Amino acid sequence: VLSKQTTEQYAYIRHCNKTSAFSSTGIIPVVDLSKPEAKTLIVKACEEFGFFKVINHGVPMEAISKLESEAINFFSLPNNQKEKAGPPNPFGYGNKKIGENGDVGWVEYLLLKNNQDYNSMRLSVFGQTTDKFRNVLNDYICAVRKMGCEILELMAEGLNIEEKNVFSKLLMDKESDSLFRLNHYPPCPEMALDNKNGENLVGFGEHTDPQIISLLRSNNTSGLQICLKDRSWVSVPPDYNSFFINVGDSLQLSNVQYLGLVGDPQVMTNGRFRSVRHRVLANGFDSRLSMIYFGGPPLSEKIAPLPCLMKENEESLYKEFTWFEYKKSAYASRLADNRLGHFEIF
Ligand code: GA4
């Protein structure tokens, strides 16, 4: 359990309206990776939600709990100690501020890169334990990346793409621009006092992830919500033992030829894979701790519809660009912006 004092450092609270209408439903697809129908279910879930839950994922519970306890130790440190590992430009500890363009949330976090020199990034707040932290993180990332590749290969199979590793090779590339994030959402005492007239505090504002795929797990505290095609929000019941998978912008792009008319986001939802809008609401009583691996391509990789998925005479709806260019534009945007819009041809 994270200490109560960690919540007191926050001075500002941001509310959003109309959260009372959000319902918690059982509609989120569950994919059992050990079952033969997994590939079909994955494609279906990516089309319908851009989101699904994975069970029998093969990531050892030990790797998960070890990293989780390192994370709890870190976030339980006094504020001035944690700040020593910041600011998160581009990697390190961040508190409340998200990105560089004015977004804030009821969250503190660590943005990390695999195989990074944690001593040089002042994560030496871990002191003697830096090496341990590095090992625990590496074990976790290796296991989670393996699961991610398995999912991406099943996805390629489900799409009848001959080259099974067409997506997974991007994560396996030694230049892969992947990153890792630990998020701690402290309980918000104010929200526990009364129901704030159904208002909620934003932990992490709505957005899509720019990368290919995001692999998330959390403790048993709720908060995550996803946006459906009809633009309603649903809560994702937390599940300590499962992973949650988000389709990112880059994966949506590789499938653009399936999208409908250009320019109308509603029409885009007739398309193939959805880059899912999601957000996290703060909780009145419990700490939420989540860990997310963002699988990205090498910076020089072209983001474009896969030729093998293009029909004859079909043209791409998007300008051709590299992951470097897309990422640069994404990092210059606000969290809630529609980032793909900048790259539409018409
Ligand atoms: C969303 C996905 C990842 O958490 C992240 C985020 C990044 C950040 O926190 O610095 C961004 C956000 C994310 C997209 C738009 C820009 C950049 C904050 C923001 C306002 C690390 C990422 O790669 O893009």
Side-chain angles (χ1 to χ4, degrees):
V1 178
L2 290 147
S3 68
K4 257 230 127 81
Q5 98 193 26
T6 51
T7 67
E8 280 155 17
Q9 60 197 254
Y10 298 92
Y12 304 99
I13 300 172
R14 235 178 102 211
H15 288 99
C16 71
N17 310 321
K18 287 196 294 185
T19 45
S20 50
F22 304 138
S23 63
S24 175
T25 62
I27 57 165
I28 285 141
V30 181
V31 178
D32 183 337
L33 285 189
S34 68
K35 294 271 169 66
E37 61 267 26
K39 59 181 184 205
T40 320
L41 292 178
I42 289 174
V43 169
K44 223 174 136 229
C46 291
E47 291 171 341
E48 182 64 25
F49 300 93
F51 185 86
F52 53 97
K53 167 167 151 170
V54 159
I55 57 171
N56 282 321
H57 47 68
V59 179
M61 219 34 195
E62 201 197 348
I64 293 173
S65 52
K66 277 186 175 167
L67 183 59
E68 195 168 73
S69 69
E70 290 292 324
I72 290 173
N73 287 344
F74 176 79
F75 288 121
S76 305
L77 288 171
N79 217 21
N80 61 351
Q81 288 260 29
K82 290 185 280 193
E83 300 287 355
K84 286 184 190 158
N89 57 354
F91 301 111
Y93 174 75
N95 187 353
K96 217 162 59 180
K97 290 195 188 124
I98 299 169
E100 301 281 321
N101 307 307
D103 290 288
V104 291
W106 187 261
V107 63
E108 57 173 347
Y109 57 90
L110 270 174
L111 267 174
L112 302 164
K113 198 157 176 66
N114 199 17
N115 298 323
Q116 190 172 353
D117 178 1
Y118 299 119
N119 286 314
S120 77
M121 65 174 282
R122 290 155 295 165
L123 262 190
S124 45
V125 283
F126 284 106
Q128 301 279 312
T129 65
T130 307
D131 280 343
K132 183 170 165 236
F133 178 78
R134 183 190 288 109
N135 290 336
V136 165
L137 184 67
N138 276 344
D139 288 352
Y140 180 87
I141 287 184
C142 284
V144 167
R145 195 207 288 119
K146 186 161 167 266
M147 171 194 71
C149 286
E150 198 184 320
I151 291 168
L152 289 170
E153 278 156 31
L154 288 167
M155 202 180 273
E157 272 183 57
L159 286 166
N160 292 314
I161 298 174
E162 229 170 89
E163 194 188 347
K164 295 279 162 292
N165 65 350
V166 67
F167 303 121
S168 61
K169 69 180 182 198
L170 302 171
L171 268 60
M172 291 315 288
D173 195 306
K174 64 178 187 334
E175 301 292 321
S176 160
D177 184 33
S178 298
L179 58 121
F180 185 69
R181 173 166 212 140
L182 289 166
N183 284 332
H184 170 222
Y185 302 91
C188 172
E190 269 199 47
M191 278 187 55
L193 290 180
D194 57 29
N195 199 17
K196 290 278 157 202
N197 299 321
E199 286 192 321
N200 271 283
L201 183 67
V202 177
F204 207 113
E206 64 172 275
H207 66 285
T208 61
D209 294 341
Q211 291 82 2
I212 299 170
I213 196 165
S214 312
L215 314 166
L216 172 147
R217 69 158 297 284
S218 75
N219 68 354
N220 266 327
T221 303
S222 63
L224 180 62
Q225 297 191 322
I226 62 165
C227 187
L228 305 184
K229 281 182 180 177
D230 67 4
R231 297 189 177 177
S232 64
W233 289 91
V234 290
S235 296
V236 178
D239 182 348
Y240 189 90
N241 296 305
S242 303
F243 276 82
F244 293 94
I245 316 299
N246 286 357
V247 170
D249 297 344
S250 299
L251 191 57
Q252 170 168 328
L253 281 164
S254 61
N255 291 278
V256 283
Q257 72 291 347
Y258 288 103
L259 304 179
L261 296 171
V262 190
D264 178 356
Q266 281 301 91
V267 180
M268 279 173 91
T269 60
N270 290 330
R272 196 86 199 221
F273 285 10
R274 294 183 83 224
S275 171
V276 67
R277 251 178 196 265
H278 56 287
R279 66 182 181 193
V280 176
L281 301 181
N283 188 293
F285 303 94
D286 303 308
S287 261
R288 176 177 162 90
L289 189 76
S290 62
M291 30 185 90
I292 312 125
Y293 177 79
F294 301 94
L299 287 171
S300 59
E301 186 72 24
K302 283 208 186 92
I303 309 293
L306 291 172
C308 60
L309 287 178
M310 294 281 270
K311 295 191 198 102
E312 222 183 318
N313 294 328
E314 193 167 10
E315 288 181 22
S316 171
L317 307 179
Y318 291 87
K319 294 174 202 145
E320 203 174 88
F321 51 89
T322 60
W323 166 241
F324 173 80
E325 291 164 327
Y326 188 69
K327 188 181 173 188
K328 201 170 138 207
S329 138
Y331 275 63
S333 68
R334 293 294 297 264
L335 206 49
D337 285 354
N338 170 18
R339 286 174 272 280
L340 286 171
H342 296 296
F343 292 90
E344 281 165 7
I345 279 174
F346 303 106

